[in-house]
Amino acid sequence: MLGNQRSRYVFPAAAAVVLLGVLVGTVACGPHKSGNSAQPGAAAGGHSSVEPTLSVEPPVVPTEPASPTPSPTKARPTPSKTPAKTAEGGYAIRPPGTGHGPASSASRTGGTTVALTFDDGPDPVNTPAILQVLRENGVKATFCMVGFRVRDHPELVRQIYADGHTLCNHSWQHLIDLAKRDPSYIDWDLRKTNEAIRAAVGADAPIKYFRAPGGNFTPDLVAKAKSLGMSSIYWDVDPQDWNHKPDSNDQAHIQRVISQIKSHVRQGSIILSHDNAQPDTIVAYRQLIPWMKRYYALERLPV
């Protein structure tokens, strides 16, 4: 009887002990996590050796990823056949370009050579000076000459020809509106200029080129020159060496001419300049020609 009563109390007490143990274990261990519950830095016995850091500030998010993401690939320009390089002063050495002057006149040499052309002479002061600069540098150029000046200074035409430069017809009296004149006058003008040049240097002298005053070509004017055996030439570099601005001193004008040519010349360029009434042009070319020779082949237009 007593045994039965004791068992009635023993089992509820045991159950209470078990329940108490479960509750204590739950509070001590926290909620169950799947997988390995070991934490980094935990010492034997399950206690961490590092004190947790508490902060009221939000966590700092890095502004850059740990492994930088490559930037998108940019399209690269297609390289030219002749890579550009840079000369002193930051002027780019440029490959040949394409294009034509008015009425399909030639604005480039058609190759990699650069042609220096001098208009409006011959001039008794400036033509001998530019010839000397060319001679000292071993450079041949093209002289586009005005007919009445050829008539007045045949000895200069002979010097131009003797030095191996190319002869070019630049009309008889440099009429800017030559292309608008009567066809009979245009025919007379071009023929008269050629006759004056050949009277100075000989009947067999080649005159293969014509340049319209001001570059004012029209299809009819180009056709007329072609009928006389001349190709029409324009330019792609014009430093306006003739235009000495009133507010510019000589040195400023010279530097402007130099800068314009250095900035725009490229392989195949035809450069327009003048050998009359502008001595600053000669000063500019004393500096320009040695510079250009280092990067370009300077040649006369072929005959």
Side-chain angles (χ1 to χ4, degrees):
M1 183 77 177
L2 180 60
N4 291 337
Q5 289 178 349
R6 183 178 298 173
S7 66
R8 265 182 10 200
Y9 292 107
V10 167
F11 286 107
V17 170
V18 171
L19 179 58
L20 180 61
V22 170
L23 291 173
V24 171
T26 302
V27 172
C29 299
H32 176 72
K33 296 182 181 179
S34 63
N36 187 0
S37 61
Q39 299 297 317
H47 296 289
S48 172
S49 61
V50 179
E51 287 291 330
T53 302
L54 300 179
S55 174
V56 296
E57 297 293 333
V60 177
V61 179
T63 56
E64 293 290 337
S67 299
T69 304
S71 59
T73 303
K74 295 181 180 180
R76 296 180 179 230
T78 303
S80 59
K81 292 182 179 179
T82 306
K85 56 184 177 179
T86 302
E88 67 269 25
Y91 294 101
I93 307 307
R94 303 186 296 170
T98 58
H100 298 284
S104 296
S105 55
S107 63
R108 301 188 186 278
T109 64
T112 59
T113 59
V114 171
L116 305 180
T117 64
F118 296 95
D119 284 17
D120 296 356
D123 179 85
V125 174
N126 294 310
T127 299
I130 196 63
L131 286 173
Q132 182 61 30
V133 173
L134 295 170
R135 196 177 300 121
E136 290 170 355
N137 287 277
V139 171
K140 307 299 182 188
T142 298
F143 285 81
C144 300
M145 297 177 287
V146 174
F148 79 88
R149 291 180 177 143
V150 169
R151 178 200 62 197
D152 295 344
H153 302 285
E155 74 286 355
L156 296 178
V157 183
R158 285 191 286 271
Q159 188 61 66
I160 290 169
Y161 190 54
D163 281 3
H165 302 294
T166 295
L167 307 175
C168 172
N169 182 321
H170 196 35
S171 83
W172 181 255
Q173 54 185 331
H174 204 274
L175 298 176
I176 294 298
D177 63 347
L178 176 64
K180 298 179 180 180
R181 298 301 177 106
D182 186 270
S184 62
Y185 173 81
I186 295 172
D187 181 76
W188 174 87
D189 185 295
L190 271 58
R191 288 181 185 275
K192 183 70 172 176
T193 303
N194 281 351
E195 289 170 3
I197 293 171
R198 291 191 170 113
V201 298
D204 296 331
I207 307 172
K208 297 289 187 68
Y209 301 98
F210 167 70
R211 175 173 280 162
N216 295 326
F217 287 102
T218 63
D220 288 343
L221 189 55
V222 169
K224 169 52 67 176
K226 185 177 181 180
S227 73
L228 298 175
M230 297 183 292
S231 298
S232 294
I233 59 167
Y234 194 66
W235 57 82
D236 77 325
V237 179
D238 178 7
Q240 294 195 355
D241 61 313
W242 54 269
N243 185 15
H244 197 309
K245 300 181 185 302
D247 59 346
S248 174
N249 60 34
D250 288 347
Q251 190 58 38
H253 176 75
I254 291 165
Q255 290 305 313
R256 182 183 63 79
V257 170
I258 291 172
S259 177
Q260 284 293 307
I261 292 178
K262 284 186 174 183
S263 297
H264 295 95
V265 64
R266 66 172 67 210
Q267 293 176 6
S269 284
I270 297 176
I271 302 176
L272 171 65
S273 297
H274 300 78
D275 64 320
N276 75 307
Q278 191 48 265
D280 286 344
T281 295
I282 288 79
V283 178
Y285 270 102
R286 286 197 182 105
Q287 300 179 49
L288 277 166
I289 290 178
W291 180 88
M292 286 191 286
K293 283 179 63 179
R294 288 198 292 272
Y295 305 104
Y296 302 100
L298 302 181
E299 298 287 347
R300 67 179 187 166
L301 293 173
V303 293

